[in-house]
Amino acid sequence: MLSSKTIRLGTTTAVLFTILSFAGEYTFAEQRPERIASTHLCTDQLLMLLAEPERIVSLSYFASNPDMSMMAESARPYPVNHGLAEELVLQKPDLILTSQFGSPSILILKSLGYQVLSVPVALTLEDIRENIQTVADAIGVPDRGREVVRQFDFELNQVSAPFHEPRPKILIYEANGYTTGKRTLQSDILEMAGFNNLAVDLGISGNQYLPLEALVIHPLDALMTASDYEQNSLAYEVPNHPALRSAFENVPTVNIPGKIWICGTPFVSDALRLLTEFRIEVVQSVQ
Amino acid sequence: MSMLSVNNISVSRRGRIILSRLSFSVHQGQLIGLIGPNGAGKTTLLRALSGLQAVESGQVSFDGKMVDRQNRQEVARKVAYLEQNSRSYWPLSVENLVMLGRMPHLGQWQRPTATDWEIVHQTMQTCDVLQFARRPVTTLSGGEQARAMLARALATEPEILLADEPIAGLDPAHQLDVMDKLQELVAEGAGVVVVMHDLSIAARYCNRLTLLFEGKVTSEGDAATVLSAQNLMQCYGIDAHFGKMDDELFVIPRNRL
Amino acid sequence: MNVHTHKTTLSYRALMLVLTALTLIAFICSLSVGPAGIKTVDMLYALLSVEPSTAAVIVQEIRLPRALLGLLIGAALGLCGAAMQGYVRNPLAEPGLIGVSASAALGAVITIYFGLSAMYVWILPFGGMLGASIGVAVMMAIAGRESSALTLILAGVAVSTMAGALTSLALNLAPNPFSSLEIVFWLLGSLANRSFEHIWLAAPFILAGMALVLTLGRALDSLSLGEDTAATLGIDLRSVRLKIILGVTASVGAATAVAGAIGFVGLVVPHLIRPFVGHRPSRLLPASALGGAILLLFSDVAVRLISLGVELKLGVFTALIGTPIFLWLILRMRHQYV
């Protein structure tokens, strides 16, 4: 493992020929990592929320993509990585954050002795709280973690539905006719906003193709699309099938950009706010 | 003296009988012409003799021992098989193609010796393909290719050669060349079975003919015995002109019956 | 007459010498290229260095395994492509023909699907190799014991199609967008971020498989004349068939398990080399192995040099350059294979 001392030294000497110390006395838990890299969009955002900017050595190249990242602007000043082992070795991180489905470079870096934290994909709001605290503890800022979680809970409270009946039936219509059901962050948030996710009633779990017939049998109160882009791609076009058209006709529709909740970050409260407002509209239009 | 024989073999394919309790043998020093109409079972018999065709009953033996119990490469050194319309899937040079005939004599990693090359070039000369030595075999004409393939089989220097229509598609001059070569081979002590349709050439060159019809040997013996008007009518369904010139029988098919 | 013979032998030696030299150059290029921008001289110094400098770590632990895998996998694909084309006597055959690539990919994808691949380096390639073995066992069961090259192709196509369908199913049912992205990226083929653990796992299988295939030169030569004539030349067709299946499964299965599906190398390289060895399958085998290593190593250098913001996937690159080469070959050779 690299000690923080040699790393500070390393930044001032020639990058290529710094001798790394592989001293055995250093263990991760005892010393706070000072040079942190992230190779995954989701950990990029958690890291920016929690760490002091000078401790971030690089973020994945997705972090500054405004179509995918909620923090594209903030990410711009940081160096980027493409998940390549060689880049990361050059950046000399003493902690690398990644997701469960991170880049394969993580394994080679692990075997080279780098400290790696693999953060699971968040499927519930509780997962988000846990992930925030996990990252905060790992980078030695547990108090900052608790503060971010507290702030997150406060925002959720501010924007969640004040009443829970009636629960309009809603469906998420995604690119190429996919929908989102059980065991997803989206479903958790729809629930909290006072909606009833039709996909869950249909027994759909995760991201699955939408059965057209079921849709005709169960009429919708509301529809949610998930377009990230200003210009609609063909995949996102409102469906042309007659059965779908009649199901979607005159149904109030909201668009929640996918980037809000593709990652489990506190920004999902924005989605909750948009959905809570939308539900009030829907309930009023029904009455 | 080597002898390749089948004894009482039967072969059928999808319920159709191809060979039925058939016995046949070839000795060193014999040039046997295997004749008969299309579908009579000539190729199947040749394949059975070479060990390619599994038989349902009966035995295939070489030198008194069952062929399938003998060392494959040892048999390959002594029995060569020239497929009908044999062709090369890759544009190998003619000399490399003919060298394949030496393969049974070479060990797994052994390179051809000067002697092997000498034999290859000699057989190429006798088959009149030496001038094509470096040419890709696929650029030769059909007749030229057929001669190159014969050279390949001869390069093995086999004791027994099984040749399936080696002169089909050759011009008359090269037909005679090939038959002369086969005769020479027999004179040197080899045994040859040659499938052919030219009855006059068969009569002239072969010292024995075997007429196959519907999976059975209909007639066997010298040309005068086998090429009878009766046999030709029964097996080929033709009637023919028979003649003799310089004591050699010739047959010209005349009418289909 | 012997003058001729010696001449061909000499030109073959010259060809092998040129190919070996090119392989060496490609290998050094592969060690020299990367984001760290280490000069070739410094790279060679770092390669031999015993001190754990950053350059030494990069060259020894990151670039060296990548270059070695490029060498091994390229050689395996080139060799097995040549062997398969020789065995089925069809210039369109490729190493994955018997279903090995598709089933190796399926095995690997399953480990990603269940999130196992992130646990240890060896899990994904191990899954790939297991997939390859199962796929080929199924293929052999379908083809039967006495099958000819043609039934082998058909059984291989059946297994490839099935494995491909199951891979698509895994993608279809992927638990979240990140795992599907991971699967897709893996399927595109890459040598990036491979470590020595990959080599220790794959190299024994790749090398053993290649050794087995290399013994088939003479049998493949005689198969130029068809299966019947080859059999009468003393070739044991059943043993040839078993050896080619085992050899290709071990080497291509392990190669796919480590690097994903890298197409076109095994298809194109034998074609490029064939005219230089007088179309002889036995000589094509070693020459194609070197040719495959050269093509894959240079392709892997190219994906690192072409800057599109993100590293191009190796399998995508080989397909991009392979297709035009292949079309050119078809146009040039059209008269030969009519």
Coordinates of all heavy atoms in Angstrom, one line a residue, chain A residues 39-114:
Chain A
T39 N -14.0 5.4 -10.4 CA -14.1 5.0 -11.8 C -15.6 4.7 -12.2 O -15.8 4.1 -13.3 CB -13.3 3.7 -12.0 OG1 -14.0 2.6 -11.3 CG2 -11.9 3.8 -11.5
H40 N -16.5 5.2 -11.4 CA -17.9 4.9 -11.8 C -18.8 6.1 -11.6 O -18.6 6.8 -10.6 CB -18.4 3.7 -10.9 CG -19.7 3.1 -11.4 ND1 -20.9 3.6 -11.0 CD2 -19.9 2.2 -12.3 CE1 -21.9 2.9 -11.7 NE2 -21.3 2.0 -12.5
L41 N -19.7 6.4 -12.5 CA -20.6 7.5 -12.4 C -21.2 7.7 -11.1 O -21.3 8.9 -10.6 CB -21.6 7.3 -13.5 CG -22.8 8.4 -13.6 CD1 -22.2 9.7 -14.0 CD2 -23.8 7.9 -14.6
C42 N -21.6 6.7 -10.4 CA -22.4 6.8 -9.2 C -21.4 7.2 -8.0 O -21.7 8.0 -7.2 CB -23.1 5.5 -8.9 SG -24.3 5.1 -10.1
T43 N -20.2 6.5 -8.0 CA -19.3 6.9 -6.9 C -18.7 8.3 -7.2 O -18.3 9.0 -6.2 CB -18.2 5.8 -6.8 OG1 -17.7 5.5 -8.0 CG2 -18.8 4.6 -6.1
D44 N -18.6 8.7 -8.4 CA -18.1 10.0 -8.8 C -18.9 11.0 -8.0 O -18.4 12.0 -7.4 CB -18.3 10.3 -10.3 CG -17.3 9.5 -11.2 OD1 -16.3 9.0 -10.7 OD2 -17.6 9.4 -12.4
Q45 N -20.2 10.9 -8.1 CA -21.1 11.9 -7.5 C -21.1 11.9 -6.0 O -21.1 12.9 -5.4 CB -22.5 11.7 -8.1 CG -22.5 11.9 -9.6 CD -23.9 11.8 -10.2 OE1 -24.8 12.6 -10.0 NE2 -24.1 10.7 -11.1
L46 N -21.1 10.7 -5.4 CA -21.0 10.6 -4.0 C -19.7 11.2 -3.5 O -19.7 11.9 -2.5 CB -21.1 9.1 -3.5 CG -22.4 8.4 -3.8 CD1 -22.4 7.0 -3.2 CD2 -23.6 9.2 -3.1
L47 N -18.6 10.9 -4.2 CA -17.3 11.4 -3.8 C -17.3 13.0 -3.8 O -16.9 13.6 -2.9 CB -16.2 10.9 -4.8 CG -14.8 11.3 -4.4 CD1 -14.4 10.7 -3.0 CD2 -13.8 10.7 -5.4
M48 N -17.9 13.6 -4.9 CA -17.9 15.0 -5.0 C -18.8 15.6 -3.8 O -18.5 16.7 -3.3 CB -18.5 15.5 -6.3 CG -17.5 15.4 -7.5 SD -18.1 16.1 -9.0 CE -19.0 14.8 -9.7
L49 N -19.8 14.9 -3.5 CA -20.7 15.4 -2.4 C -20.0 15.4 -1.0 O -20.2 16.2 -0.2 CB -21.9 14.5 -2.3 CG -23.0 14.8 -3.3 CD1 -24.1 13.7 -3.2 CD2 -23.6 16.2 -3.1
L50 N -19.1 14.4 -0.9 CA -18.5 14.1 0.5 C -17.1 14.6 0.7 O -16.8 15.1 1.8 CB -18.6 12.6 0.7 CG -20.0 12.0 0.9 CD1 -19.9 10.5 0.8 CD2 -20.6 12.4 2.2
A51 N -16.3 14.5 -0.3 CA -14.8 14.8 -0.1 C -14.5 16.2 -0.4 O -15.1 16.9 -1.2 CB -14.0 13.9 -1.0
E52 N -13.4 16.7 0.3 CA -12.9 18.0 -0.1 C -12.3 17.9 -1.5 O -11.6 16.9 -1.8 CB -11.8 18.4 0.9 CG -12.2 18.5 2.4 CD -12.2 17.1 3.1 OE1 -12.2 16.1 2.5 OE2 -12.1 17.1 4.4
P53 N -12.5 18.9 -2.3 CA -12.0 18.8 -3.7 C -10.6 18.4 -3.9 O -10.2 17.7 -4.8 CB -12.3 20.3 -4.2 CG -13.3 20.8 -3.4 CD -13.2 20.2 -2.0
E54 N -9.7 18.9 -3.0 CA -8.3 18.6 -3.2 C -7.9 17.2 -3.0 O -6.9 16.7 -3.3 CB -7.4 19.5 -2.3 CG -7.6 19.3 -0.8 CD -8.7 20.1 -0.2 OE1 -9.6 20.6 -1.0 OE2 -8.8 20.3 1.1
R55 N -8.9 16.4 -2.4 CA -8.6 15.0 -2.2 C -9.0 14.1 -3.4 O -8.7 12.9 -3.4 CB -9.3 14.5 -0.9 CG -8.7 15.1 0.4 CD -9.5 14.8 1.6 NE -9.4 13.4 1.9 CZ -10.3 12.8 2.7 NH1 -11.3 13.4 3.2 NH2 -10.2 11.5 3.0
I56 N -9.7 14.7 -4.3 CA -10.2 13.9 -5.5 C -9.1 14.0 -6.6 O -8.8 15.0 -7.1 CB -11.5 14.5 -6.0 CG1 -12.5 14.5 -4.9 CG2 -12.0 13.7 -7.2 CD1 -13.9 15.1 -5.2
V57 N -8.5 12.8 -6.9 CA -7.5 12.8 -8.0 C -8.1 12.6 -9.3 O -7.5 13.1 -10.3 CB -6.3 11.8 -7.7 CG1 -5.5 12.2 -6.5 CG2 -6.8 10.4 -7.6
S58 N -9.1 11.9 -9.4 CA -9.8 11.8 -10.8 C -11.2 11.2 -10.6 O -11.5 10.5 -9.6 CB -9.0 10.9 -11.7 OG -9.1 9.6 -11.4
L59 N -12.0 11.5 -11.6 CA -13.4 11.0 -11.7 C -13.5 10.3 -13.1 O -12.7 10.5 -14.0 CB -14.4 12.1 -11.6 CG -14.3 13.0 -10.4 CD1 -15.3 14.2 -10.5 CD2 -14.8 12.1 -9.2
S60 N -14.5 9.4 -13.2 CA -14.7 8.7 -14.5 C -15.2 9.8 -15.5 O -15.7 10.8 -15.2 CB -15.8 7.6 -14.3 OG -17.1 8.2 -14.5
Y61 N -14.9 9.4 -16.8 CA -15.3 10.4 -17.8 C -16.8 10.6 -18.0 O -17.2 11.5 -18.7 CB -14.6 10.0 -19.2 CG -15.1 8.7 -19.8 CD1 -16.0 8.7 -20.9 CD2 -14.7 7.5 -19.3 CE1 -16.4 7.5 -21.4 CE2 -15.2 6.3 -19.8 CZ -16.0 6.3 -20.9 OH -16.5 5.2 -21.5
F62 N -17.6 9.8 -17.3 CA -19.0 10.0 -17.4 C -19.5 11.2 -16.5 O -20.5 11.8 -16.7 CB -19.8 8.8 -16.9 CG -19.6 7.6 -17.8 CD1 -18.9 6.5 -17.4 CD2 -20.1 7.6 -19.1 CE1 -18.7 5.4 -18.2 CE2 -20.0 6.5 -19.9 CZ -19.3 5.4 -19.5
A63 N -18.6 11.4 -15.4 CA -19.0 12.4 -14.4 C -19.4 13.8 -15.0 O -20.2 14.5 -14.5 CB -18.0 12.5 -13.3
S64 N -18.7 14.2 -16.0 CA -18.9 15.5 -16.6 C -19.8 15.5 -17.8 O -20.0 16.5 -18.5 CB -17.5 16.1 -17.0 OG -16.8 15.2 -17.8
N65 N -20.5 14.4 -18.0 CA -21.4 14.3 -19.1 C -22.8 14.7 -18.6 O -23.4 14.1 -17.8 CB -21.5 12.8 -19.6 CG -22.4 12.6 -20.8 OD1 -23.3 13.5 -21.0 ND2 -22.3 11.5 -21.5
P66 N -23.3 15.9 -19.1 CA -24.6 16.4 -18.6 C -25.8 15.6 -18.9 O -26.8 15.7 -18.2 CB -24.7 17.8 -19.3 CG -23.8 17.7 -20.5 CD -22.7 16.7 -20.2
D67 N -25.7 14.6 -19.8 CA -26.8 13.7 -20.1 C -26.9 12.6 -19.0 O -27.9 11.9 -18.9 CB -26.7 13.1 -21.4 CG -27.0 14.1 -22.5 OD1 -27.7 15.0 -22.3 OD2 -26.4 13.9 -23.7
M68 N -25.8 12.4 -18.3 CA -25.8 11.2 -17.4 C -25.6 11.7 -15.9 O -26.0 11.0 -15.0 CB -24.7 10.3 -17.8 CG -24.8 9.7 -19.2 SD -23.4 8.7 -19.6 CE -23.9 7.2 -18.8
S69 N -24.9 12.8 -15.8 CA -24.5 13.1 -14.4 C -25.3 14.3 -13.9 O -25.5 15.3 -14.6 CB -23.0 13.5 -14.4 OG -22.6 14.1 -13.2
M70 N -25.7 14.3 -12.6 CA -26.4 15.4 -12.0 C -25.4 16.5 -11.6 O -25.7 17.6 -11.3 CB -27.1 14.9 -10.8 CG -28.3 14.0 -11.1 SD -29.5 14.9 -12.1 CE -30.3 16.0 -10.9
M71 N -24.1 16.1 -11.6 CA -23.1 17.1 -11.2 C -22.1 17.4 -12.2 O -20.9 17.5 -12.0 CB -22.4 16.5 -9.9 CG -23.3 16.3 -8.8 SD -22.5 15.5 -7.3 CE -21.6 17.0 -6.7
A72 N -22.5 17.4 -13.5 CA -21.6 17.6 -14.6 C -20.8 18.8 -14.5 O -19.6 18.8 -14.7 CB -22.4 17.6 -15.9
E73 N -21.4 19.9 -14.1 CA -20.7 21.2 -13.9 C -19.6 21.1 -12.9 O -18.4 21.5 -13.1 CB -21.7 22.3 -13.6 CG -22.3 23.0 -14.8 CD -21.3 23.5 -15.8 OE1 -20.3 24.1 -15.4 OE2 -21.5 23.2 -17.0
S74 N -20.0 20.5 -11.7 CA -19.0 20.4 -10.6 C -17.8 19.5 -11.0 O -16.7 19.6 -10.5 CB -19.6 19.9 -9.4 OG -21.0 20.2 -9.3
A75 N -18.1 18.5 -11.9 CA -17.1 17.5 -12.2 C -16.1 18.1 -13.2 O -14.9 17.5 -13.3 CB -17.8 16.3 -12.8
R76 N -16.4 19.1 -13.9 CA -15.6 19.6 -15.0 C -14.1 19.9 -14.6 O -13.2 19.5 -15.3 CB -16.2 20.8 -15.7 CG -16.0 20.8 -17.1 CD -17.1 21.4 -17.9 NE -18.2 20.3 -18.1 CZ -19.4 20.6 -18.5 NH1 -19.8 21.9 -18.6 NH2 -20.3 19.6 -18.7
P77 N -13.9 20.5 -13.4 CA -12.5 20.8 -13.1 C -11.6 19.6 -12.8 O -10.3 19.7 -12.9 CB -12.6 21.7 -11.8 CG -14.0 22.0 -11.7 CD -14.8 21.0 -12.4
Y78 N -12.2 18.5 -12.5 CA -11.3 17.4 -12.0 C -10.7 16.6 -13.2 O -11.3 16.5 -14.3 CB -12.1 16.4 -11.2 CG -12.7 17.0 -9.9 CD1 -14.0 17.3 -9.8 CD2 -11.8 17.2 -8.8 CE1 -14.4 17.9 -8.6 CE2 -12.2 17.8 -7.7 CZ -13.6 18.1 -7.5 OH -14.0 18.7 -6.4
P79 N -9.5 16.0 -13.0 CA -9.0 15.1 -14.1 C -9.9 13.9 -14.3 O -10.6 13.5 -13.3 CB -7.7 14.6 -13.5 CG -7.4 15.5 -12.3 CD -8.7 16.1 -11.8
V80 N -9.9 13.4 -15.5 CA -10.8 12.2 -15.7 C -10.0 10.9 -15.9 O -8.8 11.0 -16.1 CB -11.6 12.4 -17.0 CG1 -12.6 13.5 -16.9 CG2 -10.7 12.6 -18.2
N81 N -10.6 9.8 -15.6 CA -10.0 8.5 -16.0 C -11.0 7.8 -16.8 O -12.2 8.1 -16.9 CB -9.6 7.7 -14.7 CG -10.9 7.3 -13.9 OD1 -11.7 6.5 -14.4 ND2 -11.0 7.8 -12.7
H82 N -10.5 6.8 -17.6 CA -11.4 5.9 -18.4 C -11.4 4.5 -17.9 O -11.5 3.6 -18.7 CB -10.9 6.0 -19.9 CG -10.8 7.3 -20.5 ND1 -9.8 8.2 -20.3 CD2 -11.7 8.0 -21.2 CE1 -10.0 9.3 -20.9 NE2 -11.2 9.3 -21.4
G83 N -11.1 4.4 -16.6 CA -11.1 3.0 -16.0 C -9.9 2.2 -16.4 O -9.9 1.0 -16.2
L84 N -8.8 2.8 -17.0 CA -7.7 2.0 -17.4 C -6.7 2.0 -16.2 O -6.4 3.0 -15.5 CB -7.0 2.7 -18.6 CG -7.8 2.7 -19.9 CD1 -7.0 3.5 -20.9 CD2 -8.0 1.2 -20.4
A85 N -6.2 0.8 -16.0 CA -5.3 0.5 -14.8 C -4.1 1.5 -14.9 O -3.6 2.1 -13.9 CB -4.8 -0.9 -14.8
E86 N -3.5 1.6 -16.1 CA -2.3 2.5 -16.3 C -2.6 3.9 -15.9 O -1.7 4.5 -15.2 CB -1.8 2.4 -17.7 CG -0.5 3.0 -17.9 CD 0.1 2.6 -19.3 OE1 -0.2 1.5 -19.8 OE2 0.9 3.4 -19.8
E87 N -3.7 4.5 -16.3 CA -4.0 5.9 -15.9 C -4.1 6.0 -14.4 O -3.6 6.9 -13.8 CB -5.4 6.2 -16.4 CG -5.7 6.4 -17.8 CD -7.2 6.6 -18.1 OE1 -8.0 5.9 -17.4 OE2 -7.5 7.4 -18.9
L88 N -4.7 5.0 -13.8 CA -5.0 5.1 -12.3 C -3.7 5.0 -11.6 O -3.4 5.7 -10.6 CB -6.0 4.1 -11.9 CG -7.4 4.4 -12.4 CD1 -8.3 3.2 -12.4 CD2 -8.0 5.5 -11.5
V89 N -2.8 4.1 -12.0 CA -1.5 3.9 -11.4 C -0.7 5.3 -11.4 O -0.1 5.7 -10.4 CB -0.7 2.8 -12.0 CG1 0.8 2.8 -11.6 CG2 -1.3 1.5 -11.7
L90 N -0.8 5.9 -12.6 CA -0.1 7.2 -12.7 C -0.7 8.3 -11.8 O 0.0 9.2 -11.3 CB -0.3 7.7 -14.1 CG 0.6 7.1 -15.2 CD1 0.3 7.6 -16.6 CD2 2.1 7.3 -14.9
Q91 N -2.0 8.2 -11.5 CA -2.6 9.2 -10.6 C -2.4 8.9 -9.1 O -2.7 9.7 -8.3 CB -4.1 9.2 -10.9 CG -4.4 9.8 -12.3 CD -5.8 9.5 -12.8 OE1 -6.6 8.7 -12.2 NE2 -6.2 10.1 -13.9
K92 N -1.8 7.7 -8.8 CA -1.4 7.4 -7.5 C -2.4 7.6 -6.4 O -2.2 8.3 -5.4 CB -0.1 8.2 -7.0 CG 1.0 8.1 -8.0 CD 2.1 9.1 -7.5 CE 3.2 9.1 -8.5 NZ 3.8 7.8 -8.8
P93 N -3.6 7.0 -6.6 CA -4.6 7.1 -5.6 C -4.3 6.2 -4.4 O -3.7 5.2 -4.6 CB -5.9 6.7 -6.3 CG -5.4 5.7 -7.3 CD -4.0 6.1 -7.7
D94 N -4.7 6.6 -3.2 CA -4.6 5.6 -2.1 C -6.0 5.1 -1.8 O -6.1 4.3 -0.9 CB -3.9 6.2 -0.9 CG -4.3 7.6 -0.5 OD1 -5.2 8.1 -1.1 OD2 -3.6 8.2 0.3
L95 N -7.0 5.5 -2.5 CA -8.3 4.8 -2.5 C -9.0 4.9 -3.8 O -9.0 6.0 -4.4 CB -9.2 5.4 -1.4 CG -10.6 4.8 -1.3 CD1 -10.6 3.3 -0.9 CD2 -11.5 5.5 -0.3
I96 N -9.5 3.8 -4.3 CA -10.3 3.9 -5.6 C -11.7 3.4 -5.3 O -11.9 2.4 -4.7 CB -9.6 2.9 -6.6 CG1 -8.2 3.4 -6.9 CG2 -10.4 3.0 -7.9 CD1 -7.4 2.3 -7.6
L97 N -12.6 4.3 -5.7 CA -14.1 4.0 -5.5 C -14.6 3.4 -6.8 O -14.3 4.0 -7.9 CB -14.8 5.2 -5.1 CG -14.5 5.9 -3.8 CD1 -15.4 7.1 -3.6 CD2 -14.6 4.9 -2.6
T98 N -15.4 2.4 -6.7 CA -16.1 1.9 -7.9 C -17.4 1.3 -7.5 O -17.7 1.1 -6.4 CB -15.1 0.9 -8.6 OG1 -15.7 0.5 -9.9 CG2 -15.0 -0.4 -7.8
S99 N -18.1 0.9 -8.6 CA -19.4 0.2 -8.3 C -19.2 -1.3 -8.4 O -18.2 -1.8 -8.9 CB -20.4 0.7 -9.3 OG -21.3 -0.3 -9.6
Q100 N -20.2 -2.0 -8.0 CA -20.2 -3.5 -8.1 C -20.0 -3.8 -9.6 O -19.4 -4.8 -9.9 CB -21.6 -3.9 -7.6 CG -21.8 -5.4 -7.6 CD -23.2 -5.7 -7.3 OE1 -24.0 -4.8 -6.9 NE2 -23.6 -6.9 -7.5
F101 N -20.5 -3.0 -10.5 CA -20.3 -3.3 -11.9 C -19.3 -2.3 -12.5 O -19.6 -1.6 -13.4 CB -21.6 -3.2 -12.7 CG -22.6 -4.3 -12.3 CD1 -23.6 -4.1 -11.3 CD2 -22.4 -5.6 -12.8 CE1 -24.4 -5.1 -10.9 CE2 -23.3 -6.6 -12.4 CZ -24.3 -6.3 -11.4
G102 N -18.2 -2.2 -11.8 CA -17.2 -1.2 -12.2 C -16.3 -1.8 -13.3 O -16.6 -2.8 -13.9
S103 N -15.3 -1.1 -13.6 CA -14.4 -1.5 -14.6 C -13.5 -2.7 -14.2 O -13.2 -2.8 -13.0 CB -13.5 -0.3 -15.0 OG -12.2 -0.7 -15.3
P104 N -13.2 -3.5 -15.2 CA -12.3 -4.7 -14.8 C -11.0 -4.3 -14.3 O -10.2 -5.1 -13.7 CB -12.2 -5.4 -16.2 CG -13.0 -4.7 -17.1 CD -13.5 -3.5 -16.6
S105 N -10.5 -3.0 -14.5 CA -9.2 -2.6 -14.0 C -9.2 -2.7 -12.5 O -8.1 -2.8 -11.9 CB -9.0 -1.1 -14.4 OG -9.9 -0.3 -13.8
I106 N -10.3 -2.6 -11.9 CA -10.4 -2.7 -10.4 C -9.6 -4.0 -9.9 O -8.9 -3.9 -8.9 CB -11.8 -2.7 -9.9 CG1 -12.4 -1.3 -10.2 CG2 -11.9 -3.0 -8.4 CD1 -11.6 -0.1 -9.8
L107 N -9.9 -5.1 -10.6 CA -9.3 -6.3 -10.1 C -7.8 -6.3 -10.2 O -7.1 -6.8 -9.3 CB -9.9 -7.5 -10.9 CG -11.3 -7.7 -10.7 CD1 -11.9 -8.7 -11.7 CD2 -11.5 -8.3 -9.3
I108 N -7.2 -5.8 -11.3 CA -5.8 -5.7 -11.5 C -5.2 -4.7 -10.5 O -4.2 -5.0 -9.8 CB -5.4 -5.4 -12.9 CG1 -3.9 -5.4 -13.1 CG2 -5.9 -4.0 -13.4 CD1 -3.5 -5.2 -14.5
L109 N -5.9 -3.6 -10.2 CA -5.4 -2.7 -9.2 C -5.4 -3.3 -7.8 O -4.5 -3.0 -7.0 CB -6.3 -1.4 -9.3 CG -6.0 -0.6 -10.5 CD1 -7.1 0.5 -10.7 CD2 -4.7 0.1 -10.5
K110 N -6.5 -4.0 -7.5 CA -6.5 -4.7 -6.2 C -5.3 -5.6 -6.1 O -4.6 -5.6 -5.1 CB -7.8 -5.6 -6.2 CG -8.9 -5.0 -5.3 CD -10.0 -6.0 -5.2 CE -11.3 -5.4 -4.7 NZ -12.4 -6.3 -4.8
S111 N -5.0 -6.4 -7.2 CA -3.9 -7.3 -7.1 C -2.6 -6.6 -7.0 O -1.6 -7.2 -6.5 CB -3.9 -8.3 -8.2 OG -3.7 -7.7 -9.4
L112 N -2.5 -5.3 -7.4 CA -1.3 -4.6 -7.3 C -1.2 -3.9 -5.9 O -0.3 -3.2 -5.6 CB -1.2 -3.5 -8.4 CG -1.0 -3.9 -9.8 CD1 -1.0 -2.8 -10.8 CD2 0.4 -4.6 -9.9
G113 N -2.2 -4.2 -5.1 CA -2.2 -3.7 -3.7 C -2.9 -2.4 -3.5 O -2.8 -1.8 -2.4
Y114 N -3.6 -1.9 -4.5 CA -4.4 -0.6 -4.2 C -5.6 -0.9 -3.4 O -6.2 -2.0 -3.5 CB -4.8 0.0 -5.6 CG -3.6 0.6 -6.3 CD1 -2.7 -0.1 -7.0 CD2 -3.4 2.0 -6.1 CE1 -1.6 0.5 -7.6 CE2 -2.3 2.6 -6.8 CZ -1.4 1.8 -7.5 OH -0.3 2.4 -8.1

